[in-house]
């Protein structure tokens, strides 16, 4: 029997560990919430999601990264460029990267955690990333089905004491967020990543579109990708956006 856990009535927060982001959201995600990270191609969605897992593991909180598109070995090689030693955290059992087929997510939900994480989960609260839900959406027929699926997924994650990021892809809007559809309404928070073109240069920015129960920053703020993501909430973004 899975213990019923409500979505952090006490307002406890899970620090993301991403520089600049936590201060925009009262210190971190609310415990057991599901947060959507969305944006166009190459905007940094997987980087943000892996940074959340990596920083959590360094703080002693195990994380599972479920990828439908990229392979774990490629991801580890790419993220090593940021100086992230994911492999050694994996050896310590703090990080697990899984490449699975979208239809298996459904199976894993139904099998109550299945092979996702080791037994003894009661002693831990996990961070989970699902990258990306767009692969699952391609399999379901309607917005209604998508929303139902996300609701089922997020309540399963909550019951299993996971504070989670779900990644989704959108069209890259020229200057503003292009709505994704059914998913935004079913999750607890939405973070939008942009890579906006001005003349011959693109500029990265991030927005907290929604974060339930949180007095969050309402500005679109710049971020950089160097050794991972650095959000710069005190810097102004392009004034015409
Ligand atoms: N070592 C690096 N230093 C700086 N920036 C990098 C580095 N490696 C990748 N990037 C930038 O990060 C971008 C990719 O980030 P990421 O894979 O997180 O984006 P994504 O939104 O998940 O992309 P996709 O739409 O392909 O899933 C690259 O397109 C590049 O601009
Ligand atoms: Mg990606």
């Amino acid at each position: 029997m899975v213990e019923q856990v409500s979505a952090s009535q006490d307002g406890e927060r899970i620090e993301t560990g991403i520089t600049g982001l936590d201060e925009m959201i009262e210190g971190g995600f609310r415990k057991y919430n599901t947060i959507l990270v969305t944006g166009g191609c190459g905007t940094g969605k997987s980087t943000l999601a892996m940074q959340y897992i990596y920083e959590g593991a360094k703080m002693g909180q195990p994380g599972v990264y479920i990828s439908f598109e990229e392979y774990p070995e490629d991801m580890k090689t790419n993220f090593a460029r940021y100086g992230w030693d994911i492999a050694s955290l994996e050896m310590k059992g703090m990080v697990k990267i899984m490449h699975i087929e979208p239809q298996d997510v459904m199976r894993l939900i139904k099998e109550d955690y299945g092979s996702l994480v080791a037994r003894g989960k009661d002693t831990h609260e996990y961070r989970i990333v699902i990258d990306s839900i767009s692969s699952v959406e391609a399999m379901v027929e309607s917005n209604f089905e998508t929303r139902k699926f996300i609701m089922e997924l997020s309540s399963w994650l909550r019951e299993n004491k996971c504070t989670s990021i779900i990644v989704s892809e959108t069209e890259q809007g020229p200057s503003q967020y292009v709505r994704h559809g059914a998913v935004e309404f079913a999750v607890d928070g939405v973070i939008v990543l942009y890579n906006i073109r001005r003349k011959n240069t693109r500029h990265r920015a991030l927005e907290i579109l929604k974060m339930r129960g949180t007095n969050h920053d309402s500005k679109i703020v710049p971020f950089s990708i160097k050794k991972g993501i650095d959000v710069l909430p005190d810097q102004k973004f392009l004034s015409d956006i």
Side-chain angles (χ1 to χ4, degrees):
M1 263 295 276
V2 171
E3 185 194 336
Q4 288 295 317
V5 184
S6 64
S8 79
Q9 305 116 315
D10 52 7
E12 247 187 282
R13 303 260 161 192
I14 299 285
E15 229 181 290
T16 67
I18 296 165
T19 317
L21 178 62
D22 289 322
E23 63 191 80
M24 296 176 74
I25 51 174
E26 291 192 63
F29 298 153
R30 290 170 85 203
K31 223 173 182 182
Y32 313 139
N33 273 7
T34 301
I35 309 300
L36 181 74
V37 171
T38 185
C41 79
T43 46
K45 304 179 295 296
S46 301
T47 304
L48 189 151
M50 184 57 90
Q51 198 163 340
Y52 171 66
I53 294 288
Y54 178 69
E55 293 297 332
K58 286 200 298 180
M59 290 183 242
Q61 195 169 38
V64 180
Y65 196 110
I66 301 170
S67 167
F68 299 135
E69 280 142 29
E70 288 184 85
Y71 285 90
E73 289 313 314
D74 294 343
M75 294 180 77
K76 276 181 266 180
T77 309
N78 291 343
F79 290 126
R81 296 275 324 273
Y82 301 138
W84 300 352
D85 187 2
I86 295 168
S88 81
L89 288 167
E90 204 173 29
M91 276 187 311
K92 289 181 195 148
M94 295 302 290
V95 172
K96 190 165 179 174
I97 308 178
M98 302 172 74
H99 180 263
I100 61 174
E101 297 300 322
Q103 60 270 26
D104 289 340
V105 171
M106 316 262 190
R107 185 175 56 73
L108 285 169
I109 290 170
K110 292 188 177 125
E111 287 177 5
D112 184 24
Y113 237 8
S115 58
L116 253 186
V117 287
R119 290 290 150 195
K121 62 184 180 191
D122 291 346
T123 55
H124 283 305
E125 291 172 340
Y126 285 85
R127 297 183 177 211
I128 297 237
V129 165
I130 297 174
D131 186 2
S132 82
I133 207 68
S134 306
S135 311
V136 176
E137 275 182 294
M139 293 176 5
V140 295
E141 280 165 14
S142 64
N143 269 1
F144 173 75
E145 283 294 312
T146 304
R147 195 162 167 171
K148 194 165 147 251
F149 171 76
I150 299 289
M151 302 289 267
E152 190 184 355
L153 180 62
S154 55
S155 70
W156 175 79
L157 291 166
R158 179 162 48 237
E159 281 161 11
N160 285 284
K161 298 187 180 173
C162 300
T163 308
S164 319
I165 287 181
I166 293 180
V167 174
S168 83
E169 292 139 23
T170 59
E171 305 265 319
Q172 179 71 64
S175 63
Q176 61 178 6
Y177 175 57
V178 177
R179 197 161 74 78
H180 187 273
V183 183
E184 294 90 335
F185 298 100
V187 291
D188 302 297
V190 179
I191 299 176
V192 189
L193 304 186
Y194 299 100
N195 196 12
I196 294 167
R197 187 176 160 191
R198 276 293 169 275
K199 299 194 173 154
N200 62 356
T201 309
R202 285 196 179 264
H203 303 265
R204 296 189 190 278
L206 171 152
E207 175 182 19
I208 312 296
L209 192 65
K210 128 175 173 181
M211 198 62 65
R212 284 179 184 151
T214 304
N215 180 16
H216 61 83
D217 206 314
S218 56
K219 292 193 297 291
I220 296 183
V221 301
F223 74 86
S224 67
I225 304 183
K226 287 184 190 119
K227 297 285 170 196
I229 287 181
D230 276 308
V231 185
L232 307 158
D234 297 327
Q235 282 190 19
K236 275 217 169 80
F237 191 55
L238 308 169
S239 55
D240 57 333
I241 300 295

